Amino acid sequence: MLYFLDLMGTAVFAFSGILQARRLQMDGFGVLVLAAVTAIGGGTMRDLVLGVQPVFWVTEPQYLLLIVATCVVSLFLVRASSRHFARKLLLWADAVGLATFTAIGVNKALAVGAPPIVAISMGVLTGVGGGVLRDVLAREVPLVLRTEIYATACIAGGVVLTGTLYWGGNHHIATLACIAVTLLIRLAAIQWHWRLPVFGAGDETKPS
C-alpha cells in the first residue's frame, strides 16, 4: 500500500509542478525540472537527513520514469484548461501530494528506527520540501512560510500516525488516518481560508 501511495504522491506532486510551470509559461525542459523537483525534492532531503544512501530514486528509477510520463500526459490536459481552473487544481493536487508524502515520510523514518518526534519532522520535510523548492524556483514565497495552514496539517497527520501506532493500532489504518487528517485539514484551510496568527501583528510602534 505504501509503495502505491508513494507512486501516487509522486505523480500528483509532479502534476502540481507542471501546473506551476504552465502558469509561468516555461518551456518543456523547465516543466520537467519543476515537476521533478516538486515530486522527489522532499523525499531526497528526507533520505539525506536520515542517512539513507543512496536516495530512493537512484536505486528505483521508476520514479523518474513516472515523472516523465506524468509530464507527457499532463501537457495535453493542462493546455485545455483555463488559468483559473489550473490555479484551483494546483492547490488541490498539492494538498493530495502533501497528505500522501507526509505519511510516507513518517513511515520511512520509523522504519529506520527514528523516534516519533523525528518521524513527524521527517513527515513534514517530505510533505513540504518539494513544494518549497518548486515555489523558490518559481520566485514565490513558499506556502509553508505563509500564514496558510500547511505544515500544521502535516504535523497533525504525523501525530495521528505515530499516536495510533503507539497505542497498538493497525499500521495500514494509522497510515490512512494520517493521510485523511492531513488532507482534510489542508482542504478545509483552502476552502474556508484558515490562517495562522501573524507573528508581530498589532505590534506597530506608536509615536511617543
Side-chain angles (χ1 to χ4, degrees):
M1 183 184 72
L2 285 176
Y3 180 68
F4 170 77
L5 291 175
D6 204 4
L7 291 177
M8 182 186 74
T10 299
V12 169
F13 256 3
F15 184 59
S16 75
I18 292 165
L19 290 172
Q20 187 74 290
R22 186 251 194 182
R23 190 179 67 82
L24 297 173
Q25 298 182 332
M26 291 184 174
D27 61 16
F29 182 73
V31 170
L32 182 60
V33 169
L34 213 58
V37 163
T38 309
I40 62 177
T44 299
M45 289 189 286
R46 175 204 63 217
D47 284 359
L48 292 175
V49 171
L50 291 175
V52 177
Q53 295 290 342
V55 294
F56 69 100
W57 52 266
V58 174
T59 56
E60 300 176 272
Q62 60 266 31
Y63 287 96
L64 299 179
L65 294 175
L66 178 61
I67 292 169
V68 173
T70 303
C71 287
V72 173
V73 173
S74 299
L75 285 176
F76 296 101
L77 299 177
V78 171
R79 283 182 178 177
S81 63
S82 66
R83 291 191 176 276
H84 176 72
F85 178 75
R87 176 61 182 170
K88 285 288 187 182
L89 197 58
L90 171 60
L91 290 174
W92 286 71
D94 185 88
V96 174
L98 182 74
T100 303
F101 275 16
T102 297
I104 295 296
V106 174
N107 275 302
K108 188 156 189 178
L110 291 174
V112 299
I117 190 169
V118 174
I120 294 170
S121 300
M122 291 301 100
V124 174
L125 179 60
T126 308
V128 309
V132 169
L133 294 175
R134 176 198 65 209
D135 292 343
V136 168
L137 290 176
R139 292 175 295 179
E140 292 188 350
V141 178
L143 281 172
V144 70
L145 299 181
R146 305 179 201 172
T147 57
E148 297 185 30
I149 302 293
Y150 195 74
T152 308
C154 300
I155 295 172
V159 169
V160 168
L161 199 162
T162 55
T164 302
L165 293 178
Y166 178 80
W167 293 106
N170 179 272
H171 196 183
H172 292 314
I173 293 176
T175 298
L176 291 175
C178 171
I179 294 173
V181 168
T182 306
L183 182 60
L184 288 175
I185 292 176
R186 179 61 189 142
L187 291 180
I190 294 172
Q191 181 65 31
W192 291 296
H193 307 289
W194 290 355
R195 298 287 187 271
L196 292 174
V198 177
F199 180 75
D203 290 347
E204 293 82 1
T205 304
K206 296 181 180 180
S208 58

